[in-house]
Amino acid sequence: TGMLNLETIGAKIIEVHLRFSDQFPDLYGGRPWVEAVIRLYQEGVWRYDDNGRRTGYSVVLFGAHGVRFTHPPKELIGEIKAMPEVTSVQITFHEEWPPSWHSMPPGGFRLAIVNTWDLDTGMRARERLALNFWSTQQLYKPRRLSRSADKASEATP
């Protein structure tokens, strides 16, 4: 009757969400798959020819928390999208927002996702993006603690 997002490591389920991830539709089958999802919600019927299924890869680039990143140039995104086997490049943050406004995992600030049919291609694409991000990053000043919090931290052994 609807979509379910199962996150796994190996064969073990680690998270379950009653929604699907917008990260993968191009790997699932593109427009025909999206139309099948819409039909599922409208009519309660799943009709999708899954015979052409392929293994795809979603290669994610993370950066450090507390850094204000800017989006890569459109030309670079276009070059990466044009790489054989790359199906999409997704920049996953708003550069005009403070980093703290983004919902991110504790392990890193998600900068981009490269979806591809070939893992080696995805890794090369991610490396090109990483070099761009890391050469242009700007540190921002962290929020200052209040004076009472400063005094409490000084008093703590």
Side-chain angles (χ1 to χ4, degrees), residues 32-147:
W33 183 85
V34 171
E35 290 170 352
V37 170
I38 293 168
R39 188 172 32 259
L40 174 63
Y41 282 93
Q42 286 179 337
E43 303 170 14
V45 176
W46 179 253
R47 283 191 310 260
Y48 177 73
D49 180 3
D50 199 27
N51 289 326
R53 181 187 299 212
R54 297 171 66 182
T55 298
Y57 302 91
S58 195
V59 183
V60 180
L61 173 63
F62 287 96
H65 287 287
V67 176
R68 178 156 276 184
F69 292 95
T70 58
H71 289 180
K74 290 181 179 168
E75 297 79 21
L76 175 60
I77 299 297
E79 289 172 19
I80 293 171
K81 283 182 178 178
M83 292 173 72
E85 304 297 311
V86 169
T87 62
S88 69
V89 177
Q90 302 162 38
I91 305 303
T92 56
F93 67 97
H94 298 273
E95 65 183 349
E96 67 277 5
W97 291 4
S100 62
W101 286 13
H102 296 82
S103 175
M104 295 290 171
F109 187 85
R110 189 177 57 236
L111 298 169
I113 300 166
V114 177
N115 283 348
T116 181
W117 300 119
D118 179 75
L119 184 56
D120 289 335
T121 299
M123 300 296 268
R124 284 193 309 277
R126 180 177 67 180
E127 184 176 329
R128 288 188 66 194
L129 283 169
L131 290 172
N132 174 82
F133 278 114
W134 294 329
S135 68
T136 61
Q137 67 185 359
Q138 300 171 17
L139 295 177
Y140 78 100
K141 281 185 154 183
R143 219 174 48 198
R144 180 155 164 71
L145 295 174
S146 68
R147 288 185 185 263

